[in-house]
Amino acid sequence: MSPLVAIAGSAQINRSYSPAVRDPEAAPAAAAELGAELAKQGCRIVVYSNDPDFVERDVVRGYVGSGRAEPGSILVRGRYQQDVDFEEAQQHPELFAVVPESTDDWEVSFYRSLLTVDALLLMGGGRSTFIAGLIGLSRRIPVAAVAAFGGGAEKTWQRLTNERGVATEEEVALLARPWQSAAAGPIVTALCAQVRRRADEERAEGAAGRRTVAGLVTALVLLLLALATIPLAYAAPAGGWQNVAVLVAAPMFASVWGAIVRNAYDGNGNWLRAAALGSAAGVIAFLLFVAAQLSTNPGLLDGDAARRLVFFVLAIGFIGGFTSEVVYAKLRDQDVTQTPVLPPGGPR
């Protein structure tokens, strides 16, 4: 699906802006160039008003005039029977998809639509343009704030320098250049690149979420397997190899279960790595525990006592797996005590 870009801004000559709009006479032509470039690069656009005081009218003029507009690629979201009658719609009605709003409050339809777009293109404008830019930055969607014409777009660009989102430093600097011929192409190209990076991020986040769900399902299965070792220990013959096998399997299941639970708690996605590390830590803890028990009671595994050990090794395995990252981090640290060389003759 081609990216959906919302258009906002204005450059009225007799209106007061903060900061002031610069070169308002050149703004209509610049808006038309941006519209043509959006059509050439396969973007769909959202516009809100055919009022000549706003840049949407000129963007639509350039978009349609490029000859590259696709059917339904211009989404018009305006007040019912007030903002939707673009001149180009009379010659090319197939290019327009009109979604009239039932409310007379244009801000409602404007700000609400920003939650559904893929990118924002801002040029000049006042308070509403600046707020639109803040919404885009807070949603971490690509924002092309053309600072050359001042207004709310320039104010948004100033925020963009510190909150770049998916934009690179070079793309942010591009938006601050003085307007000149052929400036629209690089701006729209950079905006489309940001849209692709944002899509890649969303796919990566979705993949990470699926990995987390798979890890938690695995942890639940391991929990059930770990608890199943308790009745299995009592069902196996006392002193037999089956009993010892259950005793070994119990901490294995518990340690991997604990490691995956800790991984999900920390918000990490690599639960397979956590399972491997956790199982190693849990097994080492289990072996040390059993070795200590056998040193005082060599015949421990020959009788019913091995069954009672299952409860202990389950807890030990889980704790070993759950705290494996802390254990390995501590082992990697080198706490070396600084011991200076004593002076000749000993301390004084």
Side-chain angles (χ1 to χ4, degrees):
M1 181 68 69
S2 56
L4 184 62
V5 182
I7 311 298
S10 62
Q12 302 174 40
I13 297 177
N14 298 321
R15 177 182 169 185
S16 177
Y17 292 89
S18 178
V21 165
R22 295 184 296 274
D23 198 10
E25 295 82 3
E33 291 178 26
L34 288 168
E37 197 61 40
L38 286 167
K40 292 176 183 177
Q41 299 201 29
C43 299
R44 296 174 295 142
I45 61 174
V46 183
V47 292
Y48 305 92
S49 175
N50 62 345
D51 193 315
D53 291 335
F54 302 115
V55 299
E56 289 106 302
R57 190 186 70 162
D58 296 304
V59 170
V60 169
R61 175 168 57 87
Y63 192 91
V64 175
S66 69
R68 304 286 293 274
E70 297 291 336
S73 58
I74 304 174
L75 177 62
V76 183
R77 301 184 67 99
R79 295 171 295 178
Y80 179 62
Q81 292 185 341
Q82 296 187 54
D83 303 316
V84 298
D85 189 18
F86 283 84
E87 180 180 345
E88 290 77 11
Q90 299 177 9
Q91 290 83 26
H92 306 280
E94 74 283 357
L95 302 180
F96 292 78
V98 180
V99 183
E101 297 289 343
S102 59
T103 176
D104 287 335
D105 189 352
W106 66 269
E107 290 183 314
V108 173
S109 59
F110 175 59
Y111 293 126
R112 184 169 57 190
S113 71
L114 298 179
L115 304 177
T116 62
V117 301
D118 300 312
L120 287 175
L121 177 62
L122 310 179
M123 182 178 172
R127 181 182 63 90
S128 60
T129 301
F130 177 59
I131 294 175
L134 293 182
I135 293 174
L137 293 177
S138 67
R139 290 189 58 228
R140 197 176 164 77
I141 68 172
V143 177
V146 183
F149 294 95
E154 181 182 11
K155 201 172 180 181
T156 301
W157 176 84
Q158 293 170 353
R159 296 294 298 268
L160 189 61
T161 58
N162 297 322
E163 304 173 27
R164 294 206 307 264
V166 294
T168 64
E169 186 175 356
E170 294 76 12
E171 290 167 345
V172 173
L174 175 66
L175 295 170
R177 295 176 183 174
W179 188 264
Q180 56 186 352
S181 178
I187 290 176
V188 175
T189 298
L191 185 63
C192 292
Q194 293 176 49
V195 171
R196 288 191 293 270
R197 284 197 292 271
R198 179 57 181 152
D200 291 340
E201 283 187 359
E202 291 178 346
R203 284 192 291 269
E205 291 170 0
R210 290 190 292 272
R211 287 196 298 269
T212 300
V213 171
L216 293 176
V217 171
T218 304
L220 181 60
V221 173
L222 290 167
L223 167 61
L224 297 177
L225 291 175
L227 294 177
T229 59
I230 298 176
L232 286 176
Y234 282 87
W241 66 268
Q242 299 93 334
N243 201 272
V244 176
V246 172
L247 190 64
V248 173
M252 282 288 295
F253 292 140
S255 60
V256 178
W257 165 44
I260 295 177
V261 169
R262 171 61 182 269
N263 188 70
Y265 177 79
D266 290 341
N268 298 325
N270 195 351
W271 60 269
L272 187 59
R273 172 180 176 273
L277 295 177
S279 63
V283 168
I284 292 298
F286 158 73
L287 292 176
L288 291 174
F289 171 75
V290 173
Q293 298 299 316
L294 289 175
S295 65
T296 58
N297 186 5
L300 179 67
L301 301 180
D302 297 333
D304 292 339
R307 295 171 174 172
R308 294 191 292 271
L309 283 179
V310 172
F311 295 96
F312 294 98
V313 298
L314 281 174
I316 290 172
F318 176 81
I319 293 173
F322 190 80
T323 61
S324 59
E325 292 289 345
V326 177
V327 173
Y328 289 122
K330 186 64 178 176
L331 290 175
R332 287 194 299 266
D333 292 339
Q334 295 181 0
D335 300 326
V336 180
T337 303
Q338 299 294 328
T339 307
V341 178
L342 295 176
R348 297 173 183 171

